[in-house]
Amino acid sequence: MGHTVERTRWIGLADGTRLAATIWWPEGAGPWPAVLEYLPYRRGDQTAARDDSTYPHYAKAGIVGVRVDSRGNGDSDGFMDDEYSPTELSDASEVIAWIAGQDWSNGAVGMMGISWGGFNALQLAALRPPALKAVISIASTADRYNDDIHYKGGALLSANVYWAGQMLSFSSRPPEPEVVGNGWAEMWRRRLEDQPMHLETWLTHQHRDAYWKHGSICEDWSAIQCPVFVIAGWADGYRNAPAEILANLEAPCWAMTGPWIHKYPHFAYPHPRADFIGLSVDWWHQWLSGESRGVQMWPKHRAYRLEALRPAPWREEDPGRWVDAGQTSPQTRLFLLGANGVLGGREDGSAIVATPEHCGTTGGEFFTSAPDAYLPTDQRMDDGLSVCWETEAMEATLDLSGRAMLKAKVAIDQPQGNLIARLMDVHPDGTSMLISRGVLNLCHRNGQEAPEPMVPGEAFPVELQLDECCYRIREGHRLRLAVSTAYWPIVLPGPAPVTAVLTAGTLGVPVTTALPEIDVPAPADPDPMPSYAMIEAGEGRRWVEHDIQAGLVRYHIEEDTGLQQNPHSGLQFQDTRHEVWETDPLDPAACRGEMVFRTVRRRGAWLAETQARVEFTMTETNYDVRAELVARSGDEEICRRDWAFSVPRQLV
């Protein structure tokens, strides 16, 4: 079946707002099922290549693809208020009804997406718009507070700050004159004047309150009744959702977790990739067309079991095997945190943990979009700054599948502090490869809605759950647990240095045996992403600077997409990111971050540029933020916005 593309179709909402959509049409008379992807990332440039790698295949398979820019973003009317807001979800419900009501529609709509689109697909499923019949959610979460980019285990993530700056940059980019017409400049100016700085909201809600419960499907698992397919990657921060949703959802559910970074499975790294197009076409026709495609016979959880993974500057392919992780339940194997750093020893050990604030620089980034320095490197440097327990060399392979749990009695010398646990595969040559990690703000040890301060010097029972994993420890390798009170820059520090004492500690690891190996087909096209013309080459760099004289450590990130050109519209676009985090190894209150995001959009004589800057500092009592947004049309500055606010630190 052939296909056609309508680059802009306007979808009118009840309040008069128009949303801009790109639609890929099958050839023929229809009616057809349709799949919606609805998000603030611009269809004309930011996701254009990704969309072109997927939706033409859907159209050729008899499925309409509808890609919509959400309110206040790209070419769509209106103003954006927040992520996953009631307005966003209400708009999406209207779009679903609009699709189902078209004469070319068979009345059945699916919804999918990665990250933002994966989140709101699950959230819309929980709202049950009548025409929404199935969902595919990639790199998302069931719990917006505890397992998203903002907080983890009650601890504040630096990604919270980064993401606010990135969204300030994303949403402030101009609509395209050739799409919205001569009123583009006024539309852009109004959008800039209304542009929110999300960080103030995200920092204000430091506990798991109603703000974070909104959109968290774990609040009511029974709300979702349509079939769900959940996908994630081990090399990404969003790795917990497939197993968690599969275990709790009452609706029909299947899962897949590959070795991937934060990308769609058919073009993600590291390899092996999966035939997402083929799998999803079967999925959509099963639930939207009423065709029998054998989906009910799928393995419940296709998981890529990693094995003897090694850190590398670029990871083209990860060793391992596909298994059906949904076949058996793991059994917990307990290792005592023994004396003299022995994991699994017979004699109970206690440990004093007082970590320099720069521990964590080998941890990579929370969510990863490239398989190079984004990913964790050799952990030996951070292991050396932590307190470690290690097994003897394995006499036989040990297969892990699930979430490890550290239990101990913990006392600290402050009212609040963080505890971080990492699980490593130690190779015979000493290379330390990160398997999984977990974070806990100790004030959240009994719950995240009403945290309780620690009593300095008093030991409390603590349970720290690590992230999901599926990993084989080979014979001759060792299992290492590293515990620290700092993990910078991923986790931002508490208000004061912390010394912790751990006693009566155990590590429970999820052990499986004889998981059946399965085949997961690779994409028919090994390089499915379309190639856009590169007018100016981009680059990315990451490095750590230890300023011995000043006593400071700095973590640098530089990214440049290069100047690219959309072959369909001729639009040229470029985005750059400059980010620096700085800390004093002895003083957590000295932690600060600065980031600058620059964008260029141009076509012929038309040129629009934006610059978003965020400066983040902290004291023992406050988070302090200064931000600036500047927009230019050609040589003219058309808008300048400034924010300055201070948010009191709560028990984080």
Side-chain angles (χ1 to χ4, degrees):
M1 186 180 293
H3 80 287
T4 58
V5 184
E6 185 176 1
R7 291 294 166 186
T8 300
R9 165 68 71 95
W10 295 105
I11 300 175
L13 303 180
D15 65 357
T17 299
R18 297 187 313 163
L19 302 183
T22 301
I23 302 181
W24 289 260
W25 305 95
E27 287 184 354
W32 304 294
V35 173
L36 167 66
E37 187 173 4
Y38 171 83
L39 61 162
Y41 310 146
R42 301 156 54 96
R43 67 200 170 93
D45 45 58
Q46 190 175 345
T47 70
R50 181 177 92 191
D51 298 340
D52 283 341
S53 78
T54 304
Y55 291 109
H57 296 284
Y58 283 3
K60 292 174 184 178
I63 303 166
V64 178
V66 185
R67 168 67 178 86
V68 179
D69 282 343
S70 58
R71 180 187 293 257
N73 292 277
D75 300 315
S76 293
D77 293 347
F79 308 108
M80 180 187 182
D81 50 3
D82 199 356
E83 60 178 9
Y84 323 125
S85 70
T87 299
E88 175 186 331
L89 302 183
S90 175
D91 288 353
S93 295
E94 284 197 57
V95 172
I96 291 169
W98 178 89
I99 294 170
Q102 301 303 298
D103 56 10
W104 47 261
S105 171
N106 73 351
V109 180
M111 194 169 179
M112 78 167 191
I114 183 171
S115 201
W116 195 300
F119 275 75
N120 64 24
L122 292 172
Q123 293 162 15
L124 263 295
L127 294 176
R128 302 183 202 166
L132 184 61
K133 305 300 184 183
V135 158
I136 298 178
S137 179
I138 307 167
S140 63
T141 180
D143 187 341
R144 290 186 56 214
Y145 176 73
N146 193 46
D147 213 16
D148 193 1
I149 200 170
H150 307 290
Y151 298 87
K152 191 169 183 65
L156 177 63
L157 300 177
S158 64
N160 196 357
V161 183
Y162 151 73
W163 192 242
Q166 186 69 275
M167 285 308 302
L168 187 63
S169 176
F170 282 168
S171 295
S172 61
R173 298 166 192 179
E176 290 195 49
E178 295 202 5
V179 176
V180 303
N182 292 331
W184 74 271
E186 182 58 27
M187 179 180 175
W188 188 27
R189 183 177 286 108
R190 292 199 310 270
R191 179 183 294 180
L192 291 164
E193 291 170 352
D194 195 70
Q195 175 78 31
M197 177 53 182
H198 300 300
L199 186 57
E200 186 167 12
T201 299
W202 299 343
L203 288 177
T204 299
H205 296 277
Q206 296 174 28
H207 303 157
R208 196 175 185 278
D209 57 14
Y211 175 82
W212 300 112
K213 292 179 182 180
H214 164 76
S216 292
I217 64 167
C218 62
E219 290 297 304
D220 182 6
W221 292 107
S222 67
I224 294 180
Q225 297 183 351
C226 69
V228 174
F229 186 20
V230 195
I231 302 172
W234 299 126
D236 188 20
Y238 295 110
R239 55 160 61 187
N240 295 325
E244 180 184 11
I245 294 175
L246 182 63
N248 290 284
L249 205 63
E250 299 173 9
C253 184
W254 286 264
M256 180 167 66
T257 311
W260 312 305
I261 58 174
H262 198 74
K263 299 289 184 183
Y264 272 79
H266 57 305
F267 58 80
Y269 285 94
H271 294 173
R273 293 169 171 170
D275 182 17
F276 174 77
I277 300 299
L279 291 170
S280 60
V281 165
D282 284 344
W283 175 266
W284 298 128
H285 278 308
Q286 179 85 39
W287 306 115
L288 308 183
S289 303
E291 299 180 12
S292 178
R293 294 295 184 103
V295 168
Q296 293 96 328
M297 303 303 294
W298 282 4
K300 270 300 188 178
H301 188 180
R302 298 173 173 94
Y304 190 73
R305 185 179 60 206
L306 300 163
E307 181 176 349
L309 205 59
R310 298 186 71 91
W314 174 271
R315 280 173 34 198
E316 186 80 16
E317 182 165 359
D318 282 351
R321 294 286 190 276
W322 284 103
V323 297
D324 183 358
Q327 281 282 14
T328 60
S329 298
Q331 301 297 312
T332 299
R333 179 174 172 183
L334 284 179
F335 290 90
L336 183 71
L337 274 58
N340 303 314
V342 176
L343 184 59
R346 296 182 178 181
E347 183 181 349
D348 225 0
S350 63
I352 297 173
V353 186
T355 313
E357 298 299 326
H358 65 301
C359 176
T361 58
T362 67
E365 289 199 23
F366 175 76
F367 77 101
T368 51
S369 56
D372 51 17
Y374 281 81
L375 296 177
T377 55
D378 192 327
Q379 297 293 288
R380 279 179 283 191
M381 183 181 298
D382 286 337
D383 293 351
L385 297 174
S386 307
V387 175
C388 296
W389 288 264
E390 188 173 305
T391 66
E392 298 292 331
M394 293 289 168
E395 296 181 356
T397 59
L398 181 69
D399 289 345
L400 310 180
S401 182
R403 303 186 71 169
M405 177 77 79
L406 170 65
K407 295 182 180 181
K409 290 186 176 180
V410 180
I412 60 175
D413 60 346
Q414 299 291 335
Q416 56 192 111
N418 296 326
L419 199 68
I420 298 90
R422 292 177 293 116
L423 197 61
M424 270 76 61
D425 173 13
V426 181
H427 291 242
D429 67 358
T431 300
S432 180
M433 183 70 209
L434 181 68
I435 300 173
S436 180
R437 61 192 170 204
V439 180
L440 179 64
N441 171 357
L442 291 167
C443 296
H444 292 236
R445 65 196 179 277
N446 294 323
Q448 298 178 324
E449 297 183 26
E452 305 171 13
M454 297 285 282
V455 178
E458 183 175 341
F460 293 90
V462 167
E463 296 185 354
L464 196 169
Q465 188 176 46
L466 280 68
D467 287 334
E468 194 79 24
C469 70
C470 190
Y471 197 98
R472 168 169 283 180
I473 309 291
R474 282 183 179 173
E475 181 181 350
H477 289 226
R478 300 169 186 262
L479 188 65
R480 176 182 292 165
L481 172 71
V483 177
S484 61
T485 55
Y487 198 61
W488 175 91
I490 293 178
V491 178
L492 294 182
V498 170
T499 296
V501 178
L502 272 66
T503 56
T506 61
L507 175 70
V509 298
V511 176
T512 60
T513 57
L515 285 180
E517 295 187 3
I518 58 175
D519 291 325
V520 173
D525 183 352
D527 189 17
M529 283 288 280
S531 179
Y532 284 8
M534 186 68 71
I535 299 165
E536 296 177 7
E539 66 173 349
R541 293 185 61 217
R542 280 165 172 71
W543 69 98
V544 178
E545 171 193 2
H546 196 155
D547 186 334
I548 297 174
Q549 188 170 11
L552 298 172
V553 179
R554 301 181 186 94
Y555 191 97
H556 296 261
I557 300 171
E558 297 287 345
E559 288 181 350
D560 184 348
T561 64
L563 183 63
Q564 305 173 55
Q565 181 167 307
N566 186 321
H568 308 296
S569 65
L571 178 71
Q572 297 178 0
F573 54 96
Q574 182 178 25
D575 303 322
T576 66
R577 169 191 177 191
H578 160 83
E579 185 171 350
V580 181
W581 286 93
E582 181 180 271
T583 195
D584 181 334
L586 303 178
D587 182 8
C591 176
R592 62 182 303 274
E594 178 181 351
M595 54 210 69
V596 179
F597 302 90
R598 295 187 177 91
T599 75
V600 175
R601 299 294 183 273
R602 72 188 191 195
R603 182 190 290 107
W606 176 72
L607 172 65
E609 299 176 279
T610 67
Q611 177 175 290
R613 177 188 297 272
V614 179
E615 296 178 4
F616 177 88
T617 56
M618 58 174 62
T619 66
E620 291 189 11
T621 58
N622 294 302
Y623 298 125
D624 298 310
V625 178
R626 298 181 64 87
E628 175 189 74
L629 175 63
V630 179
R632 294 183 176 85
S633 176
D635 295 329
E636 178 188 0
E637 182 180 296
I638 67 166
C639 183
R640 179 180 292 267
R641 296 279 308 281
D642 292 285
W643 293 264
F645 54 88
S646 183
V647 178
R649 298 176 70 142
Q650 301 170 27
L651 292 178
V652 297

